[in-house]
Amino acid sequence: MSPMITSNSTPDTEEERQGSERNTLLKRHIVKWTGKDYIFLVQWMLIKFGHGIEIYLPGIITQQVSCEMDISPLGESVLGVILYVFMALSTLISMPLAKKLGNKFVLYLSLYSSIIFAVVCAIVPNYWTLLISRALTGICVGLTAATSGVYFTQNVSSIEIVPTGAFLQGFAIALGSTWIGFLGWCLLDLINWREFILCTSIPWFIPPIIILHCNLEKSDSHEEQLDTDSRKKEHFKEPTDFNLRLCKGSLFIGLLMVFGYGSILLVPELMKSNNFENSESPLNSTILEYDPCQGVVHGAEYLVIAAISGGSQFFGRYFGFLLRKCFKFRVLQSVIGALTAISCAVVLFKPGLWVQYTCMGIAKMVYGMQSTESLILLLDAEYFGSDGLAASSTLMFTVAYVGGIGGVALASFLNPYTTTLLCVVSSSLLVCVVLSMTGVQH
């Protein structure tokens, strides 16, 4: 009997061991969100909703401001690009500042300053003070661009929550860009642009400040201790090819933002160009130089901007999050990059007005798909290593804003069709970069 018992007990033990391993794997892939995870997510999404408003605001008000203040074409171009320049500069210093003063302090500084500078921007008496206030607003947005994501990543209960959080905060940016276009349609014919600024972003920066004051990241509870233990187990070593991965990742997101941010001003400029060309005035070849109000976006055109800039991104970010689970990184992202290039190339042939808008909407939708992956890549501790995450996130955000500045500058200073051609070139280069990124696991 004894051999029989021994013989039967061994398989039972093996089955139990295999069952335990299966349960462990299932627990790893079924992520349980805690109450504080949801609060940190809401805080991040509210910050990014406000960022979406601020980032897309120049596409809504720049032409109106230029018209009212009688600003020269050069002055209008500088006003359109200044926000993004200072966003990039402040992003570069955000992580060293956060390392010295703490992520929470930087978030406080940025959110409180955003409210103050929005008020200043609304009451400025002339062009130069307006320019300064927009630059200061860019600094505030840049300070939290990377910091808010790192703050979320460091405080949630599991690193596996981060991709879902990154997707949802990108969704919040798309919602913010839609909201600002919708408000433009609702309000800009009723109130001036100064009052419009006060109605847009300020209400959305107050709730994150309240959440920050709750000191949620500091707790001695049993749940917090479990979260801390979980994060310790999910520490990833820095890869040996960290610098190469960082270089490719930075190029990926930088080239992506050439179109992503460039389209913020490119779409209104295409509208303005079409309005001008369709003008019945016999002086339409010269009047634009002297009359900044000629062809300015107005009325229902703000709804078109909202649909292209925000609405299409909703679908893009959603489909991007779903498809990333079905296709390998290089396959999906190279196809998406090619679609952006093709859509922009169609616009170059100057088809009908609505065909142009449809193509830009498709390009913006696939940009939303690609930006979902870029946001997840920014906070991918497995790809960059846990210790290098803050540095990689900061540098990639900075390069992203450099690419964004390039796209916005092209849209501001060049003919819209020349800008579209250069977007085709940047999207084609992006495909080449994606095909070289062999280390991304998802």
Side-chain angles (χ1 to χ4, degrees), residues 306-356:
I308 294 174
S309 297
S312 59
Q313 282 197 72
F314 281 122
F315 296 102
R317 292 177 187 272
Y318 176 72
F319 290 132
F321 190 72
L322 292 182
L323 293 177
R324 70 185 297 271
K325 302 176 182 179
C326 305
F327 299 95
K328 291 184 177 180
F329 174 85
R330 289 194 296 167
V331 173
L332 179 60
Q333 301 306 319
S334 59
V335 170
I336 291 173
L339 284 174
T340 303
I342 292 170
S343 298
C344 291
V346 173
V347 176
L348 294 175
F349 293 95
K350 297 185 179 182
L353 189 64
W354 288 105
V355 176
Q356 291 186 43

Side-chain angles (χ1 to χ4, degrees), residues 175-189:
L175 183 60
S177 63
T178 305
W179 176 249
I180 192 66
F182 176 76
L183 284 184
W185 173 67
C186 291
L187 300 178
L188 273 177
D189 287 338

